[in-house]
Amino acid sequence: MSFPPDFTWGVAAAAYQIEGAAATDGRGPSVWDVFSHEPGKIFEDHHGDVACDHYHRYAEDVALMREMGAQAYRLSLSWPRILPEGTGRVNDKGLAFYDRLVDSLLAAGITPWVTLFHWDLPQALQLRGAWCNREIVDWFGDYTAVVADKLGDRVKHWMTINEPPVVIGLGYHEGMFAPGQKLSFRECLLGSHHLLMAHGRATQVLRARCRGPIKVSLAHTGRERIPATQSAADIAAARRDYFACTAKNMWNLSWWMDPVHLGHYPPEAAEAFGADMPKVTDADLKLIAQPIDFTGYNCYSGWLVRARPDGSPENVPGSWGIGNPRGTLSWLHIAPDATYWAARFIHERYRLPVVFTENGYCNTDFVHLDGRVHDPQRIDFLARYLGAMKRAVAEGVPVAGYFYWSVMDNFEWKEGYKDRFGLIHVDYQTQKRTPKDSYFWYRDLIRTNGANLPTA
Ligand code: FCB
């Protein structure tokens, strides 16, 4: 079996992680510029000042994507490159970069899928209260209008925001990511409400200003709950745990996904969060629940869940445990069935086609003596995760696309350049690109539309 003929095989990256050119052509600072220059925040004090220098080398990178046969490229726009102060003055030179990039992608036969916000909030807006300030709904809408007016004649696929729980959870609650704040749970819930409204506003603006029909979503993420067995009880327990909304943290998947898809917060949230719940009006919910066209989802890892005798879910001891196969990042436990269960559970609940907007494997890849980068672990990872995705498709779950994270090694946030996710190796001293073995494996997979991939 192959995938449907219109299935999209893509690769992904994000502005701050690859572009570099942090102070070039009028770009303003983002929260990640500030955070990564604070000593001790990032592995060995790495930062994104130069990164993969993609800003200057995009033509070479697009050529490598074309030779790989990538059908689509998920890129993100740097808000402070376009609006250095976050609002107001447009930096034409910054916008022109994305204009050139989109044109060169289209010329190479690669469809651009554009994310408006992948974490690099303009520092100027951080100083004005960031997500806790309700005005961010307008700021984000105005930024989206500038982008849509410039690129909306050619870009037909949009994602508003990447991984809301990471933005608020790691950035504003746990303080591990930029801007490194530890706000109260209550403030974070308020911020998350504004973030979801900003998504809704951007969706409206894109539809109003882009030319012709477009497809819009956001890129959600969660940790997958994989039923320990195929029994109805274990499947129900895994589903219940996956969509539960009672933990006082930012990691409740349904907190983020229900309002967007169903028009309300999970009913159990009000009871669990009590006075911490933000004031939510019908108009707010209507804005958040703008119709979208697919569910974007970043899928990496997960653990096994089983039913107790009373049906309640419990984690299977050891399924997130010592000696598990993993990537070099501690959270990247290899859980191949993650793609199958994510697609199935998400589609069951939200009824839209699912697009895996990210999935990938990190390691300490280097150029071997023969001048090549051999990465059998990544190929094995891909064969497993894509096999499980193929099973979902074979069973009729509408999975419409897959984007490998990442097209090339890059700045992995808190981990700096330590962990490499790319299909293309980057030598950060020389900026030399070397396609890894997995690049050629993925190229062959795209050519055959996954026909020779075993179904997991
Ligand atoms: C995701 C991010 C992406 C990358 C991968 C490994 O959470 O969206 O930028 O860092 O993890």
Side-chain angles (χ1 to χ4, degrees), residues 14 17 118-119 162-163 298 300 331 358 405 412-413 421:
Q17 295 179 275
H118 198 126
W119 306 354
N162 184 67
E163 297 189 351
N298 298 350
Y300 286 93
W331 52 265
E358 284 182 27
W405 182 274
E412 179 43 41
W413 308 115
F421 274 91

Side-chain angles (χ1 to χ4, degrees), residues 9-273:
W9 293 106
V11 285
Y16 188 71
Q17 295 179 275
I18 64 168
E19 284 179 2
T24 304
D25 289 342
R27 178 183 177 278
S30 75
V31 292
W32 270 98
D33 295 275
V34 174
F35 187 73
S36 64
H37 281 277
E38 277 175 41
K41 296 294 185 197
I42 312 286
F43 176 76
E44 291 182 350
D45 290 340
H46 298 174
H47 51 69
D49 287 7
V50 177
C52 308
D53 197 29
H54 174 73
Y55 187 79
H56 298 110
R57 295 168 196 262
Y58 72 92
E60 179 187 355
D61 294 334
V62 171
L64 283 166
M65 288 185 230
R66 189 193 57 226
E67 283 157 34
M68 183 201 298
Q71 297 162 349
Y73 171 46
R74 176 174 176 236
L75 63 126
S76 83
L77 309 179
S78 161
W79 185 347
R81 198 181 283 295
I82 295 172
L83 296 164
E85 290 92 33
T87 57
R89 183 178 64 85
V90 175
N91 177 30
D92 291 327
K93 283 188 175 169
L95 201 48
F97 167 66
Y98 297 110
D99 202 41
R100 292 195 295 277
L101 178 57
V102 164
D103 279 345
S104 62
L105 287 165
L106 291 171
I110 301 167
T111 306
W113 287 48
V114 173
T115 306
L116 292 168
F117 178 71
H118 198 126
W119 306 354
D120 42 359
L121 186 78
Q123 176 66 9
L125 299 184
Q126 179 56 33
L127 298 177
R128 293 166 73 185
W131 300 100
C132 285
N133 185 340
R134 196 179 163 109
E135 284 179 53
I136 199 160
V137 180
D138 295 329
W139 302 337
F140 195 55
D142 294 347
Y143 157 58
T144 305
V146 171
V147 168
D149 289 351
K150 186 72 171 181
L151 306 177
D153 55 340
R154 286 155 290 157
V155 176
K156 305 294 170 202
H157 298 82
W158 297 91
M159 286 139 292
T160 54
I161 295 175
N162 184 67
E163 297 189 351
V166 176
V167 175
I168 305 290
L170 292 187
Y172 294 86
H173 198 214
E174 298 170 35
M176 277 167 55
F177 276 14
Q181 294 196 321
K182 292 188 178 169
L183 303 181
S184 67
F185 184 60
R186 185 196 182 106
E187 287 169 302
C188 288
L189 287 182
L190 180 67
S192 69
H193 184 56
H194 296 154
L195 180 148
L196 290 170
M197 283 196 284
H199 152 78
R201 173 65 59 78
T203 304
Q204 288 178 328
V205 171
L206 288 170
R207 292 214 198 280
R209 299 177 98 111
C210 292
R211 192 182 302 157
I214 54 168
K215 291 195 190 296
V216 187
S217 186
L218 32 59
H220 291 280
T221 196
R223 290 279 175 266
E224 309 328 312
R225 309 303 202 274
I226 298 162
T229 72
Q230 300 291 314
S231 75
D234 283 349
I235 293 174
R239 183 189 291 113
R240 181 167 143 195
D241 197 46
Y242 192 40
F243 293 114
C245 189
T246 51
K248 291 206 172 182
N249 60 40
M250 289 295 123
W251 302 105
N252 297 292
L253 186 61
S254 59
W255 173 261
W256 304 100
M257 292 183 85
D258 278 14
V260 170
H261 295 87
L262 307 178
H264 56 75
Y265 285 101
E268 63 186 2
E271 200 183 319
F273 302 160

